[in-house]
Amino acid sequence: MLIQHREITHPDVTALVLAAEDELLTRYPGTTRTPLNPRAHFVVAYVLGQPVGCGAITPHETGVGEIRRMYVTPAHRRAGVARRILAALERRATAQGWDTLLLETGENQPEAIALYESVGYQRTEPYGRYVHNPASICFTKKIVRS
């Protein structure tokens, strides 16, 4: 598996984000697609040259970043892809000088909840646009600079 940094306009990012949104629309009927944050920094995971997952970090506030757009194609789930993407994003956050990460997932994504808890993310109060969303589950993690 290879993890590569990709621009927000890269075709692999576009394809993976659309696939993720399609899945979210089925898990959360009545929701809508959301635009990408132009300040998002993406990574894409490749297996045998094929894009199989992505994730992004965006600045949230001084010293704090937000994990966004985590997605792994169904055929490559439970193979460590998401963990590798998350680790790459945490390294990028450290390089940005951030010491805290936030993220949001939903109650209909138990596999995401289990992943985040297994790598040290702690549940926290909803923040920002998630405050009044009863389906949102928010997490935070302090990251250590090397």
Side-chain angles (χ1 to χ4, degrees):
M1 179 183 332
L2 179 66
I3 306 286
Q4 293 285 306
H5 293 275
R6 293 288 184 235
E7 296 296 323
I8 195 170
T9 56
H10 194 281
D12 294 340
V13 169
T14 301
L16 289 164
V17 167
L18 287 174
E21 287 186 337
D22 287 346
E23 183 173 323
L24 288 174
L25 292 171
T26 62
R27 289 188 190 217
Y28 302 95
T31 60
T32 59
R33 295 185 188 279
T34 57
L36 293 178
N37 182 326
R39 299 189 308 165
H41 298 280
F42 273 87
V43 296
V44 174
Y46 294 89
V47 172
L48 300 174
Q50 297 300 309
V52 300
C54 68
I57 56 170
T58 60
H60 183 71
E61 59 188 54
T62 302
V64 180
E66 182 180 13
I67 302 283
R68 305 274 301 140
R69 306 292 182 159
M70 287 287 296
Y71 177 73
V72 175
T73 59
H76 289 88
R77 292 180 184 164
R78 303 195 57 79
V81 176
R83 285 178 191 277
R84 297 269 309 268
I85 290 169
L86 201 51
L89 294 172
E90 288 178 359
R91 286 190 301 275
R92 179 83 182 247
T94 299
Q96 295 285 121
W98 302 338
D99 59 11
T100 303
L101 287 171
L102 297 171
L103 64 83
E104 182 270 350
T105 191
E107 63 186 9
N108 295 342
Q109 295 165 268
E111 65 284 353
I113 295 165
L115 167 68
Y116 299 136
E117 290 178 337
S118 76
V119 295
Y121 284 79
Q122 302 292 314
R123 289 186 190 215
T124 190
E125 292 299 313
Y127 59 92
R129 63 190 167 279
Y130 309 115
V131 170
H132 299 294
N133 184 343
S136 287
I137 299 173
C138 297
F139 290 89
T140 187
K141 182 178 181 180
K142 293 283 187 192
I143 52 176
V144 180
R145 295 183 194 179
S146 1

